[in-house]
Amino acid sequence: MQAAIIGELRAAFDATTVLTGDDIGARYHTDMAGVAVAPPLAVVRPRTTEEVSQFLKLCHRARVPVTTQGGMTGLVRATMPAPGEIVLSTERMNAIEEVDTGGGVVITQTGVPLQRLQERVEQDGFMFPLDLGARGSCTIGGNISTNAGGNRVIRYGMTRDLVLGLEAVLADGTILKGVRKYIKNNTGIDLKQLFVGTEGTLGVVTRAALRIFPAPAEQQVALCALSSFDKVRALLALSRSRLGGDLTAFEVMWNNYYRLTTELVKGVAAPLPTNHPFYVLLESSGSDAGRIRADLENLLEQALEDDSILDATIASSGAAAAAIWRIRDSSVELGRALGPGVGFDISLAIDKMEAFADAIDKGLKTIHRDAYAIVFGHAGDGNLHVNAKYPPPADRYEEISKLVYGITGEFAGSISAEHGIGILKRPYLKLSRTAEEIETMRTLKRALDPYQILNPGRIFTM
Amino acid sequence: MQAAIIGELRAAFDATTVLTGDDIGARYHTDMAGVAVAPPLAVVRPRTTEEVSQFLKLCHRARVPVTTQGGMTGLVRATMPAPGEIVLSTERMNAIEEVDTGGGVVITQTGVPLQRLQERVEQDGFMFPLDLGARGSCTIGGNISTNAGGNRVIRYGMTRDLVLGLEAVLADGTILKGVRKYIKNNTGIDLKQLFVGTEGTLGVVTRAALRIFPAPAEQQVALCALSSFDKVRALLALSRSRLGGDLTAFEVMWNNYYRLTTELVKGVAAPLPTNHPFYVLLESSGSDAGRIRADLENLLEQALEDDSILDATIASSGAAAAAIWRIRDSSVELGRALGPGVGFDISLAIDKMEAFADAIDKGLKTIHRDAYAIVFGHAGDGNLHVNAKYPPPADRYEEISKLVYGITGEFAGSISAEHGIGILKRPYLKLSRTAEEIETMRTLKRALDPYQILNPGRIFTM
C-alpha cells in the first residue's frame, strides 16, 4: 500500500512536490526541542488549494494518514509524523494575495509566516494584530489551526476573532470556498469555525481572509514593579478603566522570570531593579502620540500615589520599548538556559493566580527540593505560562505533568489556554472537557473524516 | 404517534410545563408581522437543562420534530411551528445565575430577555454590549442561535465574540456542559461554535457564560449630516483613526430614512434639518467624560473644516442622546407607517454601498414606479438594512426578493448579515454559500441530529 500511494503521488505531481527517502530533511520530523522521530513516508509540498485537494483525494482513497505542517513551532507534538504518515507541508503556499485597506482585510495563503504578513500590511500603514514570540517561523495556517493567542488578545482577541473567511479542504478532497470579507455573515452554519483551533483534524486550511487594522500611530510601553499579586490585579483594573480600548498588552512576570531572564539571556537588560515580587509590562496604543504618553504617565502617577506600584519606567524610544518587550519574549531562551523543565499553558480566574502559582511551587518541592516554577503570562486574558524546572538527570515529565494538571483541575482552570492538545496533552484532555464533549468531537471527526486520515490521534483517539 | 408523544410528555412533566389545545396562546404561532400559522402539537416549557434533555430524548425516540422559541422577534420565520412540530419555549429558563465582575463574566439561562440582562449587570457598574432594537423581547438564547449583531459590533463584535461558554443539549438529549469562564481555552474542538448562529438546528442552548465589560463612565452621541456617501466613508476613516477603541457606534441613514422617521414616527424629533443626503450617528465611549467630549468635538470640527460633514450636533444630555438613538431604532415603526414592504439585511464592501443602494432603487422602479428603497445600517460593519416599499394591494414579495438578492449577488454581498436564513431566506442561501458548503452543513446535521428533529427545514432542507 505504501509503495502504491507513492507511485500515485509521483504520477500526480512533479518531482519538487513529492519528497521521499534521503530528500526528506530533518526539519520535517524534528520538534522545537530538537527531538527527532522517524522520517515520514513522504513529504508533499503543494502550491495551491487544488493540489491539496488532489493530494487528499488520493490519501482518502488509499486510507493513508496525513499530518499537516506549518512552521513547526508547536509545543504539543501535533505535527510530528507518526509511523506511516505522509507530511503535507504548506511551505510553498506562501503568497499574500491581496491587502485591502479599504475593507480592512488581507487575503493570504496559509503557508505564509506570521512576521511576513505583519510586515507586508505595515507597508500600507496597517497592522495584523496577532503577535507571538515564534512570529518569524510560525505560519498563518498554524496560527489558525491552533487558534493562536499571544500578546494582544486583551485588545484584538484570539486568531479566531481575526478570521473573516477560510478556504479549507476536507479529508475527501472537497474544497470549501469560504474566503469572504464580511464581518457579518449569518448565512447558515459558520463552517470556518470547524477549522480554527482544531489542529488540522477536520480539514486543511489553504487560504484565509483576515482582519487588519490601521496601525496605531503611537505605542507606549511601560514596565512596573509591584509588591504583590493583589497590586497586579488593582493595576489591571485601573488600566482597563483609564486606558479603555487603548490598552493593548498587560503582561505579568513573577520575580524569578524577570530576574533570571535579565541575568541569563544574552542581550536582555533590566530597566528596573530585580528584587521586586512582580513585574508588569503595559502597552498602550492610539493615534495621538502626546495623549497616549500623557495617559500612561497619569495612570502610573496615580498607581504610585495609590501604592499600587513600587516603581515604573516608560520607554523613551522605540528601541527602549523593544528592549522591554524582549524580556517578555525571551521565555524560550530562558528555558534553555535553565536546563530541564516542563512547560504549561493554563487559563484560570485572575483572583486565583497567586494561590495557583504558590501551590505549583510547593508541589514541585515535593518532587525535588531544588525544583521550582517560573511563572509569567497574559494576566489580562486569564492565561499563565508555567515553566517547571528541575535538576538533571532524571526525566520528571510525567510526575510534573500530573502534579500541575491536577492543581489546575483543583483551581477549575483549563489545561491549554493557547498551545492546543496535540499528542502531548491528550492524556489530560479529560481534566478540561467532559466525556460527552470528547465523544461529540469524535462524532464530528467521523462525519467529516470517515477514514481518519487527517492528523489522526491528535487531540483525541477514536 | 401524536397522541403517544403527548401522553409521554404529560407523564414526564407537570401540567404547567406541557400546554396543548386551547391552552396554547396565539403568541406561540404568530410572527412579528402578526401573521399566524396553525398551532403546534404542544408547547413545552422546561425550567432546566435537565428538563430540556428529558424532553428531547422523548422527541428523539419518537422522531417528533421540535422548534425552539425565545422572544419571537426573528425576521426569517425560523420559529414558526410547522405542522406536527412541538414548540420548546425557553420562557421559564429565565434565571441570571451569577454576575462575576472580577472575571468579567455573567452566567445566565438562555430564556432571559436581553434588556433584563443588560440592566442586571448595569447594577454592578458593568455592561453587556450586545444591543439591538428588539432588546425588550428578544432572549439571550435567540441572540446566540442567530449570532445577533446590532449597534456596537464595531467595538465589541457579534454575539459569537461575547460567548465564553455554553451549555447545550443535543437532539438525543446529550448535555454538553461547556459553561466556562475562560477567554482562552484551546482544548480541542470548540463545540460552542456549533450552537452560535446555527438557528437551533444542531442543539438547544440552555445556559451561557457571556463577557461583560466595565460600563464606560461616559458616552457621547453626535448626529452628522453629509453631502455624499464618499463623505460618509471619509468620516468613518477619520473617526476610526481619531477615536480608536472609543468609537462604539457608526450608523448611517440615507435621507429618506431620516426624513420619514422624524416626520412619521411618533415621539421621534429631527435634531438636524431633513434635507441632507446622508446622516451618521456616531457614539464614543470612555472613562473620562471631559476627554470623550473634547475628542468628539475636535473630530467634528476637523470634519467640518475638511468639508466631510455639512452640519452636526452633539447630544447635550442623556435624554438628547437617547432621542438621537430613537431615530436609528425606529425602523420597525417606520416600516409599519409606510405600508407594504420587504426587509433585507445585506453585507457588502463599504466602497460599493452607494452604488448598491442606487441599483436597488432603480430596480424597484422597474417593478412599480412608486416603489422605493429605504436604506440604513451599520456602515462600520459593512452591513446595510434595506426596506423595499411599494404601494398596495399586490404582494410583491417574490419579485422584490429576486431583484434585491440578485443585485446583492452582483455586488458580491452576503444575503444575511445578521438576521439569519430561517425559512424565508432559504431559497436564496445558494447565492451566498457554495453547494459544497451547504452539503457540509447537511453532513453536520446528519451527524448531530440523525432523525432531524431540531428545527427541521430551517436554513436548508435535507
Side-chain angles (χ1 to χ4, degrees), chain A residues 184-185 187 291 295 433, chain B residues 184 187 291 295 347 414 433:
Chain A
K184 294 180 167 180
N185 186 27
T187 51
R291 200 180 85 187
D295 285 352
R433 306 296 294 270
Chain B
K184 293 180 168 181
T187 51
R291 199 179 86 185
D295 284 351
S347 268
S414 162
R433 305 298 294 268

Side-chain angles (χ1 to χ4, degrees), chain B residues 228-450:
Chain B
S228 72
F229 198 82
D230 282 349
K231 303 289 188 185
V232 173
R233 290 168 56 197
L235 182 63
L236 176 60
L238 186 69
S239 303
R240 280 208 158 108
S241 125
R242 296 287 287 261
L243 303 178
D246 294 340
L247 178 65
T248 45
F250 189 97
E251 302 286 313
V252 66
M253 296 168 269
W254 265 244
N255 170 276
N256 63 356
Y257 178 91
Y258 178 81
R259 181 171 44 82
L260 294 169
T261 301
T262 55
E263 281 172 15
L264 300 178
V265 181
K266 213 182 143 202
V268 178
L272 295 175
T274 60
N275 59 328
H276 298 300
F278 292 93
Y279 297 83
V280 166
L281 182 162
L282 258 173
E283 186 188 80
S284 171
S285 310
S287 61
D288 181 335
R291 199 179 86 185
I292 291 290
R293 176 85 186 194
D295 284 351
L296 192 56
E297 283 171 356
N298 291 340
L299 170 72
L300 296 179
E301 263 167 40
Q302 191 187 326
L304 278 167
E305 269 173 39
D306 297 350
D307 284 330
S308 293
I309 60 176
L310 299 167
D311 198 357
T313 178
I314 301 184
S316 56
S317 66
I324 292 178
W325 266 116
R326 209 171 300 131
I327 305 168
R328 173 58 189 85
D329 276 346
S330 295
S331 60
V332 172
E333 291 79 358
L334 175 66
R336 282 197 199 117
L338 290 173
V342 190
F344 300 92
D345 164 44
I346 304 292
S347 268
L348 78 163
I350 189 169
D351 56 358
K352 294 177 182 164
M353 282 183 173
E354 186 168 24
F356 172 80
D358 289 347
I360 299 286
D361 210 64
K362 210 165 152 184
L364 288 172
K365 297 280 181 279
T366 67
I367 288 177
H368 191 290
R369 63 180 180 183
D370 293 330
Y372 59 98
I374 294 178
V375 186
F376 59 103
H378 317 288
D381 313 319
N383 178 197
L384 288 184
H385 298 304
V386 175
N387 280 345
K389 309 303 291 187
Y390 57 91
D395 179 353
R396 300 183 182 277
Y397 177 82
E398 290 295 337
E399 54 187 324
I400 288 179
S401 294
K402 265 179 206 145
L403 172 84
V404 172
Y405 289 130
I407 295 172
T408 303
E410 285 165 28
F411 280 80
S414 162
I415 64 156
S416 188
E418 41 180 34
H419 294 173
I421 298 297
I423 299 289
L424 260 193
K425 296 192 181 183
R426 201 177 60 195
Y428 305 100
L429 180 62
K430 62 181 183 292
L431 296 176
S432 282
R433 305 298 294 268
T434 67
E436 290 80 10
E437 287 182 303
I438 297 171
E439 197 48 47
T440 304
M441 293 183 205
R442 291 194 182 102
T443 299
L444 292 174
K445 178 74 172 170
R446 274 189 289 265
L448 294 170
D449 181 11

